[in-house]
Amino acid sequence: MAMLEIKDLQVYYGVIQAIKGISFEVNQGEVIALIGANGAGKTTILHTITGLVPAKEGSIMFEGKDLLKTPAHTIVALGMAHVPEGRRIFADLTVYDNLKLGAYTRSDKKEIAETLEKVFERFPRLKERRNQIAGTLSGGEQQMLAMGRALMSHPKIILMDEPSMGLSPLFVTEIFNIIKEISASGTTVLLVEQNAKKALAIANRAYVLETGNIVLAGDAKVLMDDDSVKKAYLGE
């Protein structure tokens, strides 16, 4: 059984249909990439999965639980974390306080402390800047903080929305290496990304979205060699 299963999902903004009856699944341990142009509906899908946008029809099952019937604030406790587009860190709080907020659904202080140490191991720069006000970090460091904060909830699956957006090429490479590490440590990843080349390079499978429809799906390496994908998304 798939860890996350989306069936016939339909989402509207007013009278405009943003998602047009799509279905896809994410299996445990996979990195799944959703690629497509701006406005294709990628972010809307993530927002619907995490309860931020209501669905008109369809189902979203996570480990057998229907997320469309689950209040958004309880979804994190089920083992799902969301790294939103634009990072959305708490700019006025310290790095340390941002990370602690990521663990708000957990109560075991010892486990939280252990997770924090793991996050600091993975992001040494955050450890160096633990007492710094988060809004003063560089864009790449803020992205690391958003990812670290999501990992503090000890998620089974992490949804990432445009993690490389607005970052220097050096930071982009670093962020993708971290996503690979997160996956290798056993966390499932659903990745929305403009940088199709980087996304397909680390994904197991991918879905290509156009105006609310899935137009292509398959093994990420196969899609990377697909002429229509190359032309539309890989700049070849």
Side-chain angles (χ1 to χ4, degrees):
M1 190 180 80
M3 180 187 234
L4 179 66
E5 196 170 3
I6 285 97
K7 270 196 182 151
D8 304 322
L9 190 66
Q10 299 195 33
V11 181
Y12 285 77
Y13 289 119
V15 293
I16 296 168
Q17 187 167 9
I19 303 297
K20 300 167 181 170
I22 66 164
S23 300
F24 70 95
E25 58 186 40
V26 181
N27 298 310
Q28 183 162 359
E30 285 188 309
V31 176
I32 298 295
L34 299 179
I35 62 172
N38 265 339
K42 306 184 300 293
T43 294
T44 300
I45 290 169
L46 295 194
H47 282 177
T48 310
I49 292 170
T50 51
L52 299 173
V53 171
K56 185 153 189 184
E57 275 180 45
S59 70
I60 301 174
M61 302 300 288
F62 177 56
E63 295 194 322
K65 199 167 172 62
D66 188 351
L67 294 190
L68 296 183
K69 297 189 173 83
T70 308
H73 67 276
T74 62
I75 288 175
V76 176
L78 297 177
M80 180 178 284
H82 187 173
V83 181
E85 186 181 350
R87 310 188 249 288
R88 303 292 170 114
I89 55 158
F90 299 102
D92 299 334
L93 298 178
T94 63
V95 167
Y96 176 70
D97 286 338
N98 266 274
L99 292 171
K100 285 245 326 245
L101 280 167
Y104 81 97
T105 55
R106 301 171 66 192
S107 53
D108 187 321
K109 285 200 166 66
K110 185 170 170 282
E111 273 186 3
I112 292 170
E114 283 168 4
T115 307
L116 185 66
E117 273 316 302
K118 281 186 189 147
V119 168
F120 280 152
E121 269 170 40
R122 185 165 277 142
F123 303 99
R125 232 168 296 191
L126 296 184
K127 188 170 189 172
E128 286 165 24
R129 292 164 170 63
R130 63 189 292 165
N131 298 317
Q132 197 169 319
I133 297 298
T136 64
L137 299 174
S138 73
E141 289 161 355
Q142 288 187 17
Q143 184 61 50
M144 290 176 181
L145 179 56
M147 289 162 83
R149 181 181 63 187
L151 290 170
M152 286 297 295
S153 69
H154 207 61
K156 297 171 185 170
I157 184 170
I158 192 163
L159 279 51
M160 297 194 192
D161 197 352
E162 304 286 7
S164 78
M165 191 189 257
L167 301 185
S168 69
L170 204 65
F171 258 127
V172 170
T173 300
E174 198 168 338
I175 291 296
F176 275 94
N177 285 338
I178 291 163
I179 296 170
K180 275 198 288 202
E181 281 172 27
I182 288 169
S183 165
S185 71
T187 306
T188 306
V189 179
L190 177 58
L191 174 67
V192 158
E193 181 53 66
Q194 272 311 120
N195 191 330
K197 200 172 235 169
K198 287 275 192 199
L200 290 174
I202 66 165
N204 300 98
R205 293 185 300 113
Y207 296 91
V208 181
L209 280 141
E210 275 175 25
T211 56
N213 292 300
I214 289 172
V215 291
L216 273 174
D219 181 280
K221 307 294 174 279
V222 173
L223 287 177
M224 217 173 198
D225 292 330
D226 184 288
D227 285 340
S228 63
V229 173
K230 278 182 179 174
K231 220 193 214 121
Y233 305 108
L234 304 178
E236 291 178 24

